[in-house]
Amino acid sequence: MPEPFLLKYIHEPDQGDLDAYVSRGGYEGLRRALAMRPEEVVDEVERSGLRGRGGAGFGTGRKWKFLPRDPAVTKYVVVNADEGEPGTFKDRTLMEGDPHRLIEGIVIAGYAVDAHQAFIYLRREFHRARAVLERAIAQAYERGYLGRDILGSGYHLDLVLATGAGAYIAGEETALLESLEGRRAMPRLKPPFYPAVKGLYMQPTALNNVETLCHVAWILARGEAWYREQGPPILFSVSGHVQRPGVYELPLGTSIRQVIEAAGGLRPGRAFKACFPGGTSSAILPAAYLDTPMDYDLAKLDVYGAMLGSAALIVMDDTACMVEVVARTVEFYRDESCGKCTPCREGTVWLSQVLDRILHGKGRPEDLELLDGIARGMTGTCFCPLGESVPPAIYSSLRFFRHEYDHHVRTGHCDVKTAVQV
Amino acid sequence: MRLSDAARSAIVRLAGQFPQPRSALLGALFVAQEEAGALHPEVVAEVAALLGLPASEAAAVASFYHLYRFRPEGRHLIQVCTNVSCLLNGCRAVLDDLRRRLGIQVGETTPDGRFTLKTAECLAACEAAPVVMVGPDRHGPLRPEQIGEILERYA
Ligand code: SF4
Ligand code: FES
């Protein structure tokens, strides 16, 4: 298995210090990029096969190609650092542990798409990441990796750290742009508002996630051929009932079972019950799927809504009550719904009411069909991915854990809790 | 209540970082909130005026986001994550313990004005579940027996 590189330096004591970064070959990727033509940088990223690590998995090089080349058009780079998908924490880890890697990736992206202004939209709760980034950005300016005439190339780029204010929906890219313009974070209609064409201030914008840009820095430093030999690697955020929750760098296509093993396996004496392979917006999978590879083909499973997403594996052992987990998941989307469209705004409230009723021993036999019906009403009808994130948990839990719902409805009790809390 | 000159110039500086000053609104509201303790209507109006916006617009934006407050709170905000990974790792016990220790419910402030207790959505620190933030500091994985000692660090 290839050596992890994305995580290689995140535990160094000199986290984020520029000299340490440079002494390990940092900013070599930028040097190389600046010696190439911008189009060649885009081509190299495209050939590397890198796909966006924010969840949608779109080819990064291809995305950059949608930006017009016309030098008269102002373009921007925007970094989505508003990580908030439950179970995901890799971007925060990268920013806190290796901030110059992100800055290097941003400058390379800016050069590739011909932008002179970049913004990091940083989640407000990331106080540590903010402090680390502020220092790193100041150092980068001082030493000519940002600002005017970067490394004597004649290229200039300014980088501003902007702030979120607590709204999960701001992680959706068009909602993020609204927020960055000083408005409520409500998604825009796309088309026509694909950020690459009409993004920040209606100008073409390269909008990338933190992990994606860290990959870009490595690709330019070592070359796309080397990068492709690495797997490609992907960062898994593993949490829930594993012995060593954390971020793990493993090749794309590692099986769910192997990812769990990398995270120390289950707690002693406990059996695997279920997992969200790609954060709470993906389907819940039972043990039968443990050998499924974690790759973009996950979405081809016959389970509606199984996907890699942001590669957030949440593991549940036999102490987890599926009805409770699903109810909590729906409650999250209910509270974070921006309210713009009816299926999401009403559907999440209604699902939540039904699930709470079941959870509190007041469920009715027909509630199971009702849950399925509400989820159907939301499928394909919501304006943005937030609303569409809800049905997978409902469909998959009704399919694989129907007996738990049945038990709750029939007896008014949770057999998991009674079995465990002795 | 009016903002200090320092806060006003901080807001003007923020606005200068963006091609359109309105983009500084979220950050400017935090500057005002930190200084005034909460986003009182007259403070929001001042922020709006500095950025060339109608006060109603600034207020409408502020009300959308979770991290703004419109009434003063305690000196230290305690945020207990209750999302799935924290739920699986015992955030309920942590929250119950905090309620009992502080003698307040979620959303309330202790009578001495020291702590305000809130629940939070995933703080992107699930590797440390159950996670609690006190002000800007992240604590976790937290066992209920550690809570007393942690609270003592915040006067
Ligand atoms: S799906 Fe939900 S979050 Fe998305 S636009 Fe509709 S109401 Fe807003
Ligand atoms: S679920 Fe609590 S920090 Fe992510």
Side-chain angles (χ1 to χ4, degrees):
Chain A
M1 203 177 282
E3 278 285 288
F5 58 95
L6 290 156
L7 298 178
K8 195 164 172 185
Y9 298 119
I10 62 163
H11 296 301
E12 296 292 329
D14 50 36
Q15 283 177 344
D17 179 67
L18 180 61
D19 288 324
Y21 184 68
V22 169
S23 72
R24 298 183 194 118
Y27 287 113
E28 285 307 318
L30 174 61
R31 259 179 226 285
R32 206 181 135 235
L34 291 173
M36 296 159 71
R37 282 184 300 114
E39 297 82 353
E40 291 172 341
V41 178
V42 177
D43 283 338
E44 174 132 359
V45 171
E46 185 171 23
R47 279 197 310 270
S48 77
L50 173 63
R51 295 170 69 163
R53 294 291 196 250
F58 196 79
T60 304
R62 261 189 77 203
K63 196 163 157 179
W64 289 355
K65 281 196 172 157
F66 289 132
L67 275 83
R69 278 269 145 225
D70 183 354
V73 177
T74 306
K75 294 152 213 121
Y76 296 108
V77 170
V78 172
V79 183
N80 185 346
D82 198 57
E83 189 171 50
E85 168 84 32
T88 312
F89 42 94
K90 64 200 171 65
D91 291 344
R92 198 208 83 238
T93 306
L94 289 170
M95 289 188 284
E96 289 178 354
D98 202 8
H100 281 291
R101 192 81 50 191
L102 173 61
I103 296 171
E104 181 173 2
I106 293 171
V107 186
I108 293 169
Y111 177 73
V113 304
D114 180 37
H116 297 287
Q117 178 73 63
F119 300 95
I120 301 177
Y121 183 91
L122 184 68
R123 190 170 165 182
R124 189 71 190 180
E125 292 94 328
F126 289 175
H127 296 276
R128 166 128 187 88
R130 176 171 302 270
V132 169
L133 279 169
E134 271 172 358
R135 186 180 77 141
I137 291 171
Q139 287 176 335
Y141 264 107
E142 233 166 69
R143 301 270 286 276
Y145 298 105
L146 276 172
R148 300 246 124 233
D149 193 20
I150 294 173
L151 299 176
S153 65
Y155 172 64
H156 68 273
L157 180 77
D158 281 305
L159 175 59
V160 168
L161 202 48
T163 187
Y168 169 70
I169 185 64
E172 193 280 325
E173 55 183 20
T174 60
L176 184 150
L177 294 173
E178 285 286 304
S179 185
L180 190 51
E181 290 180 10
R183 298 169 214 280
R184 292 179 154 217
M186 286 184 156
R188 296 173 181 169
L189 193 62
K190 35 177 197 181
F193 300 121
Y194 287 110
V197 185
K198 283 188 187 310
L200 187 65
Y201 312 126
M202 293 297 139
Q203 297 300 116
T205 301
L207 211 162
N208 292 108
N209 142 281
V210 170
E211 185 192 339
T212 310
L213 291 169
C214 291
H215 283 260
V216 165
W218 280 105
I219 290 166
L220 268 294
R222 303 272 178 94
E224 50 95 11
W226 169 85
Y227 180 78
R228 273 188 287 114
E229 279 163 27
Q230 307 304 308
I234 187 157
L235 293 183
F236 293 99
S237 306
V238 191
S239 66
H241 292 147
V242 288
Q243 296 217 54
R244 288 194 309 273
V247 186
Y248 292 90
E249 180 175 342
L250 298 162
L252 188 67
T254 305
S255 72
I256 295 174
R257 187 190 304 278
Q258 288 167 325
V259 179
I260 295 174
E261 275 161 18
L266 295 167
R267 303 182 292 182
R270 289 288 157 211
F272 175 89
K273 182 175 198 172
C275 69
F276 286 101
T280 56
S281 57
S282 72
I284 298 174
L285 300 178
Y289 292 84
L290 273 170
D291 292 309
T292 307
M294 299 270 283
D295 60 21
Y296 296 102
D297 283 348
L298 248 183
K300 293 192 194 137
L301 281 188
D302 59 339
V303 181
Y304 176 87
M307 58 172 186
L308 184 61
S310 51
L313 179 67
I314 305 175
V315 178
M316 295 169 267
D317 68 20
D318 52 352
T319 64
C321 163
M322 282 307 120
V323 182
E324 183 181 32
V325 167
V326 173
R328 182 62 188 85
T329 301
V330 171
E331 188 193 349
F332 168 70
Y333 291 107
R334 178 196 71 195
D335 291 350
E336 295 296 322
S337 167
C338 84
K340 181 172 181 145
C341 64
T342 319
C344 170
R345 188 183 59 237
E346 306 284 324
T348 50
V349 171
W350 196 6
L351 282 173
S352 212
Q353 284 169 351
V354 177
L355 286 161
D356 277 346
R357 176 157 87 213
I358 298 175
L359 207 52
H360 292 108
K362 304 222 167 56
R364 314 165 193 152
E366 60 272 26
D367 278 345
L368 272 61
E369 289 325 304
L370 183 57
L371 288 173
D372 185 66
I374 303 169
R376 271 175 213 287
M378 294 176 70
T379 303
T381 58
C382 291
F383 187 82
C384 89
L386 186 145
E388 302 289 337
S389 297
V390 181
I394 303 286
Y395 292 136
S396 56
S397 62
L398 279 172
R399 175 160 154 203
F400 299 120
F401 298 96
R402 184 171 281 266
H403 53 282
E404 285 195 26
Y405 286 98
D406 280 338
H407 186 88
H408 273 269
V409 168
R410 230 182 24 250
T411 68
H413 293 290
C414 177
D415 56 345
V416 175
K417 293 286 167 227
T418 32
V420 168
Q421 284 172 358
V422 276
Chain B
M1 167 121 213
R2 276 182 58 85
L3 293 174
S4 68
D5 288 344
R8 295 174 65 90
S9 52
I11 290 171
V12 171
R13 247 195 335 273
L14 273 184
Q17 294 187 305
F18 296 93
Q20 295 182 11
R22 177 175 185 147
S23 284
L25 180 56
L26 269 53
L29 288 168
F30 282 113
V31 172
Q33 172 165 297
E34 261 147 52
E35 175 158 300
L39 292 178
H40 308 291
E42 60 280 14
V43 179
V44 174
E46 236 187 304
V47 170
L50 285 167
L51 300 177
L53 292 172
S56 58
E57 284 257 357
V61 171
S63 68
F64 184 83
Y65 296 93
H66 301 312
L67 296 176
Y68 296 120
R69 49 175 188 259
F70 302 94
R71 273 173 293 126
E73 290 178 351
R75 286 196 294 289
H76 308 286
L77 174 62
I78 304 180
Q79 294 179 273
V80 183
C81 174
T82 57
N83 215 305
V84 174
S85 302
C86 287
L87 179 75
L88 295 170
N89 284 291
C91 69
R92 285 252 169 76
V94 170
L95 186 59
D96 287 346
D97 189 78
L98 276 163
R99 278 202 196 101
R100 203 166 31 77
R101 264 174 213 280
L102 301 172
I104 54 174
Q105 293 304 315
V106 173
E108 295 179 349
T109 300
T110 51
D112 61 1
R114 200 163 143 220
F115 294 112
T116 297
L117 181 63
K118 287 190 177 171
T119 54
E121 293 303 350
C122 180
L123 294 161
C126 328
E127 80 276 28
V131 180
V132 172
M133 282 185 79
V134 187
D137 311 324
R138 202 164 59 216
H139 301 279
L142 205 60
R143 301 270 80 92
E145 58 272 18
Q146 299 171 297
I147 292 172
E149 182 254 322
I150 287 173
L151 291 183
E152 273 168 35
R153 296 184 219 163
Y154 299 88

